[in-house]
């Protein structure tokens, strides 16, 4: 059994994990950089260890310091949150070698899914539908032949990809050479690996992802989908569950395909299988082998605590639910609150002078922010998440409108006003949007 968890992360997700540990009676250790000494996750943890200076490379990504912090505090498990070391296979291996439980999948599964070509091949072999594309790596010399087979437009993507970097569209043959060479140099700069592959470019897809959890022994369940089509620069902004585009049959069908695949893989832990969805078809794009930022909307509609499940399966206790026990109830929306100018999206670090979180039925605020908190400039600008649940999508939207009016964050700029705009929009009200909708909407607003 796990008795003390070191949380190798910061901000709202560190707090999220800490809450689950407390509920399970597990002791917590916070780690932090010198910039985060006053952070809420540090204040609320049973113990804390400073692991280095502000730059992530020297603190939250510093494996040696984190392992040392485990040894000093006697933590027998590590929860990596998302980002930072959460999908680092080497980290999982090193913890293993030290006899510390990694609350996540095996290093092997992280590795398979971390390389996009291998991930796609694996997904296909497991019976998951994939985007038509190249068999493997694409080189400048074979790009044209492969593109002709797939059919234009095509998308060149980095094998080591993440965050939408190293991705280029070629509309036709004339664009291809440049798209391949730019994608390769971007990939090299971002990931130290210039390998790219090619996919059919889908014009107006939605981004729909399936939440799965496996026990590592061949049992797995799905917890339905999340629609994360509202994105800016490939970053999710607003997520909802269920997707306005799917009916129950479609949900259960794709969900079961993913759960079956996880059973075959003997996958352990929480994971997300991401798809593009167009004209009734699902196309696998990648799998994230960790907890996602938007996991609370799934928790809202299923009542299942995903971090509890992660801890259970990591300790070998198995899943707490069977597929037939999982009931999808109502509708949930998450708004990502970033410390950014809502028009230009330029980061806005600084001191929060007033902070008042909304409340009431169906409202959840996951945030490490508080009045007087000074947001350091070194990290991601996500300062909180607002999750609203209602019995129907309409009720959820009405509640969200009320809740947004109640939320006060002063002293810095935040993306809250963007959500106030979106909640009044007819396309959003109709659930009628694809992955390009938000960018187009923002571009129109700037022009107007
Ligand atoms: P990353 O890991 O870099 O985020 P993904 O494969 O998850 O890369 O893709 C990120 C986003 O890029 C998707 O959410 C979607 O908006 C877009 N995208 C990816 N593949 C395709 C495709 N084949 N056609 C159209 N858009 C795509």
């Amino acid at each position: 059994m796990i008795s003390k968890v070191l949380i190798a992360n910061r901000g709202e997700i560190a707090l999220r994990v800490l809450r689950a540990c407390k509920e399970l009676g597990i002791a917590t250790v916070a780690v932090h950089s010198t910039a985060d000494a006053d952070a809420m996750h540090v204040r609320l943890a049973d113990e804390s260890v400073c692991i280095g200076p502000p730059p992530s490379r020297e603190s939250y990504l510093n494996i040696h310091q984190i392992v040392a912090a485990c040894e000093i505090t006697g933590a027998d498990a590590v929860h990596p949150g998302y980002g930072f070391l959460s999908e680092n296979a080497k980290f999982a291996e090193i913890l293993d070698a030290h006899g510390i439980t990694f609350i996540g999948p095996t290093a092997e599964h992280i590795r398979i899914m971390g390389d996009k070509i291998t991930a796609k091949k694996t997904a296909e072999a497991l019976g998951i539908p994939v985007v038509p594309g190249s068999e493997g790596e694409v080189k400048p010399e074979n790009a044209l032949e492969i593109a002709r087979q797939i059919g234009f437009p095509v998308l060149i993507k980095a094998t080591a990809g993440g965050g939408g970097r190293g991705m280029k569209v070629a509309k036709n043959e004339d664009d291809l050479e440049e798209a391949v060479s730019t994608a390769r140099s971007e990939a090299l700069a971002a990931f130290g690996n210039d390998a790219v592959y090619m996919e059919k470019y889908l014009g107006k897809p939605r981004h729909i992802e399936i939440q799965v959890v496996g026990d590592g022994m061949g049992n797995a369940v799905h917890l339905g989908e999340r629609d994360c089509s509202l994105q800016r620069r490939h970053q999710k902004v607003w997520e909802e569950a269920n997707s306005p585009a799917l009916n129950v049959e479609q949900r259960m069908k794709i969900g079961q395909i993913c759960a079956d695949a996880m059973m075959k893989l003997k996958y352990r832990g929480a994971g997300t299988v991401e798809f593009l969805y167009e004209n009734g078809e699902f196309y696998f794009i990648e799998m994230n082998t960790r907890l996602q930022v938007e996991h609370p909307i799934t928790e809202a509609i299923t009542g299942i605590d995903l971090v509890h499940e992660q801890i259970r399966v990591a300790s070998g206790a198995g899943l707490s639910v069977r597929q037939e026990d999982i009931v999808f109830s109502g509708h949930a929306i998450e708004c990502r609150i970033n410390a950014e100018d809502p028009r230009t999206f330029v980061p806005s670090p600084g001191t929060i002078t007033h902070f008042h979180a909304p409340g009431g039925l169906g409202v959840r605020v996951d945030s490490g922010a508080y009045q007087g908190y000074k947001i350091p400039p070194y990290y991601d600008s996500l300062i909180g998440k607002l999750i609203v649940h209602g019995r129907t999508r309409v009720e959820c939207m009405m509640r969200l409108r009320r809740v947004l009016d109640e939320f006060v964050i002063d002293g810095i700029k935040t993306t809250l006003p963007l959500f106030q705009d979106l909640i009044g929009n007819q396309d959003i009200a109709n659930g009628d949007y694809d992955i390009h909708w938000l960018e187009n909407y923002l571009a129109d607003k700037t022009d107007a």
Side-chain angles (χ1 to χ4, degrees):
M1 285 312 288
I2 291 170
S3 60
K4 194 188 265 194
V5 171
L6 181 141
I7 303 160
N9 216 300
R10 63 181 301 281
E12 68 84 21
I13 196 62
L15 208 53
R16 164 71 191 91
V17 173
L18 187 143
R19 287 174 173 147
C21 292
K22 293 214 165 180
E23 288 173 10
L24 295 172
I26 296 172
T28 51
V29 179
V31 292
H32 65 91
S33 71
T34 50
D36 278 339
D38 293 330
M40 193 53 92
H41 75 278
V42 178
R43 294 185 178 196
L44 293 183
D46 298 312
E47 290 169 76
S48 64
V49 181
C50 180
I51 51 166
S56 308
R57 211 170 274 283
E58 296 170 54
S59 49
Y60 298 103
L61 290 171
N62 188 333
I63 296 179
H64 296 295
Q65 287 285 35
I66 292 169
V67 173
C70 287
E71 311 258 290
I72 294 164
T73 57
D76 52 5
V78 169
H79 194 301
Y82 51 67
F84 294 131
L85 295 169
S86 61
E87 289 176 292
N88 185 316
K90 202 175 114 205
F91 181 53
E93 268 163 10
I94 290 172
L95 290 178
D96 235 21
H98 283 79
I100 302 162
T101 302
F102 176 70
I103 302 176
T106 60
E108 188 205 340
H109 287 162
I110 297 174
R111 213 163 258 138
I112 289 174
M113 295 304 171
D115 176 276
K116 299 215 164 183
I117 294 179
T118 319
K120 216 173 148 181
K121 282 187 180 148
T122 308
E124 204 171 4
L126 292 168
I128 295 175
V130 301
V131 193
S134 58
E135 290 280 328
E137 206 184 319
V138 166
K139 302 270 193 189
E141 52 276 18
N142 64 8
L144 185 59
E145 193 193 328
I146 296 172
R148 281 181 178 155
Q149 279 165 16
I150 298 171
F152 284 94
V154 294
L155 186 64
I156 319 298
K157 298 172 80 171
T159 307
R165 281 172 303 178
M167 219 185 277
K168 287 281 164 270
V169 184
K171 288 199 193 78
N172 50 45
E173 296 197 2
D174 298 341
D175 291 352
L176 188 65
E177 198 179 320
E178 199 188 323
V180 172
S181 78
T182 337
R184 278 165 63 98
S185 48
E186 265 190 42
L188 184 65
F191 313 110
N193 173 355
D194 71 356
V196 296
Y197 63 109
M198 199 186 289
E199 270 179 2
K200 174 144 201 67
Y201 178 74
L202 303 169
K204 287 176 159 293
R206 297 180 82 109
H207 173 117
I208 298 182
E209 56 186 35
I210 307 291
Q211 177 71 56
V212 291
V213 199
D215 68 358
M217 297 174 282
N219 188 22
V221 294
H222 75 87
L223 279 79
E225 85 282 11
R226 294 183 286 259
D227 194 317
C228 313
S229 303
L230 291 172
Q231 302 183 356
R232 181 182 166 271
R233 301 212 173 143
H234 302 302
Q235 299 290 322
K236 297 163 189 168
V237 170
W238 154 308
E239 302 100 347
E240 43 186 313
N242 304 306
S243 168
L246 295 193
N247 61 36
V248 182
E249 288 73 37
Q250 289 169 307
R251 165 169 319 117
M252 295 317 273
K253 185 173 170 210
I254 190 69
Q256 201 53 53
I257 289 172
C258 294
D260 289 344
M262 293 307 115
M263 290 188 216
K264 284 184 219 155
L265 200 59
K266 289 201 167 59
Y267 185 78
R268 182 187 71 211
T272 299
V273 188
E274 295 195 336
F275 294 95
L276 294 176
Y277 173 81
E278 194 173 60
N279 300 328
E281 300 287 337
F282 286 93
Y283 302 98
F284 170 88
I285 44 171
E286 67 169 344
M287 176 169 179
N288 293 318
T289 51
R290 53 166 167 85
L291 194 67
Q292 306 241 142
V293 174
E294 59 274 22
H295 77 276
I297 53 175
T298 299
E299 297 184 325
I301 62 161
T302 61
I304 295 168
D305 187 309
L306 280 163
V307 182
H308 284 190
E309 294 304 314
Q310 286 187 298
I311 295 173
R312 280 183 66 103
V313 297
S315 68
L319 294 166
S320 76
V321 285
R322 293 167 305 177
Q323 191 68 53
E324 56 269 34
D325 301 329
I326 299 168
V327 181
F328 300 96
S329 164
H331 194 89
I333 294 173
E334 174 181 273
C335 300
R336 294 195 189 196
I337 303 164
N338 290 344
E340 287 172 359
D341 184 307
R343 293 174 64 90
T344 60
F345 299 95
V346 171
S348 172
T351 301
I352 296 177
T353 52
H354 288 286
F355 187 86
H356 172 78
L361 181 63
V363 181
R364 169 174 173 181
V365 177
D366 276 21
S367 173
Y370 55 88
Q371 195 147 316
Y373 175 59
K374 191 166 177 221
I375 301 163
Y378 312 104
Y379 311 106
D380 192 275
S381 59
L382 182 81
I383 54 160
K385 305 182 308 203
L386 170 62
I387 302 101
V388 174
H389 182 246
R391 288 173 301 174
T392 59
R393 187 169 189 268
V394 171
E395 188 178 277
C396 184
M397 296 276 283
M398 284 164 63
R399 183 161 288 149
L400 179 57
R401 184 190 294 272
R402 182 274 289 175
V403 165
L404 286 167
D405 281 344
E406 222 173 293
F407 214 146
V408 180
I409 305 177
D410 286 342
I412 55 155
K413 289 178 180 159
T414 76
T415 46
L416 278 171
L418 170 66
F419 299 112
Q420 277 171 321
D421 276 358
L422 292 180
I423 199 82
N425 182 279
Q426 199 52 49
D427 288 344
I428 300 291
N430 296 339
D432 184 13
Y433 53 77
D434 60 39
I435 59 169
H436 304 295
W437 189 94
L438 184 60
E439 297 255 3
N440 292 339
Y441 171 81
L442 292 169
D444 289 350
K445 262 182 53 156
T446 320
D447 293 346

